[in-house]
Amino acid sequence: MTSCRTDLALEEAQNQKDNLPPGVSVTAQPLEKSTFTVVEITTPQAARQLKKPQGVYLTLEQKPIWKDSADSPRDMEAAAAGLRSLLPQEGLVLVVGLGNREITPDALGPAAAEQVVATRHISGEVAEATGLTGLRPVACTVPNVLGKTGVEAAEAVKALVHCLNPAAVIAIDAFAAGEISRLGTTIQIANTGISPGSGVLNARKELCAATLGVPVVSIGIPTVVDLGSLSSQKGAAGMMITPREIDLLISRGARALSLMINRALQPTLSLEDLAFLSA
């Protein structure tokens, strides 16, 4: 298969399945309505060949999210548990919604972050009065993009990390895939940080443990494919395609990601409670 530009470690592993180097493991588990796959990259050689940093990549493959609005609790729990396993067990978590809300395929991060339940301010008498004691502290931010603010998202997040001293950062972003079938059907969670815009040739400053000083877990859904990965026609490289159902993809995808994050961070609350609190 020809090389393609993709943010998905599983896609790279599948493209090179006949030539995977030592240091790559791929384990798949069927769920109720999806497949949950763990890709682990453990050596520098494997990282270079798959063009992905060393780390753990969790992938949920499902039907197009704009077609199947009925969530599977089992699948949601599996994804939330996977996300929780990549985070420190305690401490404040800063959730960051990356992207430009005015460009629909890039609006996933802001749309999802705005539905994550912020709890850092709920404590003491307020927590007791509302029946929300024992919640993990969570803060959320949507830093927008450099062209709008003149500030790199990584710079804004680094300033917040310095101020809030979180135990970890969760970065939500729209991803690029190499195959059309991945659009709106794949959710990737990774403990390797993120370089916003890298999948669409607009890489910004990286958000990772090395740049922020705390663990960074990324989560997202592919919303675009580089036409150059699909066509050899002149001028195809750099052109992005997205499904015509992109509005539903962003709406339902943001809802799914926010529920996964809320469930991972607040396991004492039910999915029903979290859906109510984030509505």
Side-chain angles (χ1 to χ4, degrees), residues 36-109:
F36 189 73
T37 304
V38 180
V39 176
E40 190 166 5
I41 303 174
T42 59
T43 66
Q45 177 190 351
R48 286 193 297 271
Q49 184 166 324
L50 266 69
K51 296 173 284 187
K52 296 288 176 282
Q54 290 177 235
V56 178
Y57 300 81
L58 313 178
T59 308
L60 198 69
E61 298 174 276
Q62 58 189 29
K63 294 179 181 178
I65 202 163
W66 63 82
K67 290 184 179 179
D68 193 3
S69 59
D71 296 323
S72 164
R74 181 187 174 196
D75 296 11
M76 183 69 69
E77 292 288 356
L83 172 56
R84 193 181 305 121
S85 72
L86 300 181
L87 295 167
Q89 293 185 359
E90 298 179 345
L92 170 69
V93 174
L94 175 62
V95 178
V96 181
L98 299 170
N100 187 341
R101 71 177 76 242
E102 296 181 16
I103 300 176
T104 305
D106 198 32
L108 181 68

Side-chain angles (χ1 to χ4, degrees), residues 1-278:
M1 182 175 291
T2 58
S3 176
C4 65
R5 182 164 55 253
T6 175
D7 289 318
L8 305 177
L10 177 59
E11 193 169 31
E12 282 286 6
Q14 291 176 338
N15 289 344
Q16 303 182 44
K17 62 182 178 180
D18 296 327
N19 189 35
L20 282 179
V24 178
S25 64
V26 181
T27 306
Q29 174 189 359
L31 299 176
E32 184 178 358
K33 299 174 71 174
S34 60
T35 300
F36 189 73
T37 304
V38 180
V39 176
E40 190 166 5
I41 303 174
T42 59
T43 66
Q45 177 190 351
R48 286 193 297 271
Q49 184 166 324
L50 266 69
K51 296 173 284 187
K52 296 288 176 282
Q54 290 177 235
V56 178
Y57 300 81
L58 313 178
T59 308
L60 198 69
E61 298 174 276
Q62 58 189 29
K63 294 179 181 178
I65 202 163
W66 63 82
K67 290 184 179 179
D68 193 3
S69 59
D71 296 323
S72 164
R74 181 187 174 196
D75 296 11
M76 183 69 69
E77 292 288 356
L83 172 56
R84 193 181 305 121
S85 72
L86 300 181
L87 295 167
Q89 293 185 359
E90 298 179 345
L92 170 69
V93 174
L94 175 62
V95 178
V96 181
L98 299 170
N100 187 341
R101 71 177 76 242
E102 296 181 16
I103 300 176
T104 305
D106 198 32
L108 181 68
E114 289 173 351
Q115 298 178 65
V116 173
V117 180
T119 58
R120 176 174 175 260
H121 58 296
I122 303 175
S123 61
E125 294 182 358
V126 174
E128 292 182 7
T130 57
L132 295 175
T133 57
L135 296 183
R136 183 167 190 169
V138 177
C140 304
T141 186
V142 179
N144 215 314
V145 292
L146 179 66
K148 289 282 187 179
T149 65
V151 179
E152 290 271 11
E155 294 169 339
V157 174
K158 188 173 183 178
L160 273 177
V161 167
H162 178 75
C163 178
L164 301 180
N165 192 29
V169 170
I170 296 176
I172 315 169
D173 202 5
F175 292 155
E179 298 179 14
I180 292 176
S181 62
R182 293 283 180 186
L183 297 179
T185 66
T186 306
I187 297 173
Q188 177 178 276
I189 307 168
N191 66 351
T192 57
I194 189 169
S195 179
S198 59
V200 293
L201 296 178
N202 187 32
R204 311 311 310 168
K205 291 184 178 180
E206 190 174 6
L207 284 75
C208 62
T211 59
L212 298 182
V214 298
V216 179
V217 174
S218 63
I219 181 170
I221 301 172
T223 63
V224 296
V225 169
D226 181 358
L227 187 57
S229 299
L230 308 174
S231 172
S232 60
Q233 293 185 43
K234 184 177 179 180
M239 296 183 68
M240 298 295 159
I241 60 175
T242 194
R244 64 181 180 181
E245 300 90 352
I246 186 61
D247 293 284
L248 270 178
L249 191 165
I250 295 301
S251 175
R252 292 180 177 171
R255 187 64 171 164
L257 294 186
S258 65
L259 279 175
M260 287 178 190
I261 294 169
N262 286 330
R263 184 60 173 156
L265 298 178
Q266 311 299 349
T268 61
L269 298 180
S270 68
L271 285 172
E272 292 77 12
D273 289 338
L274 291 168
F276 174 77
L277 289 172
S278 62

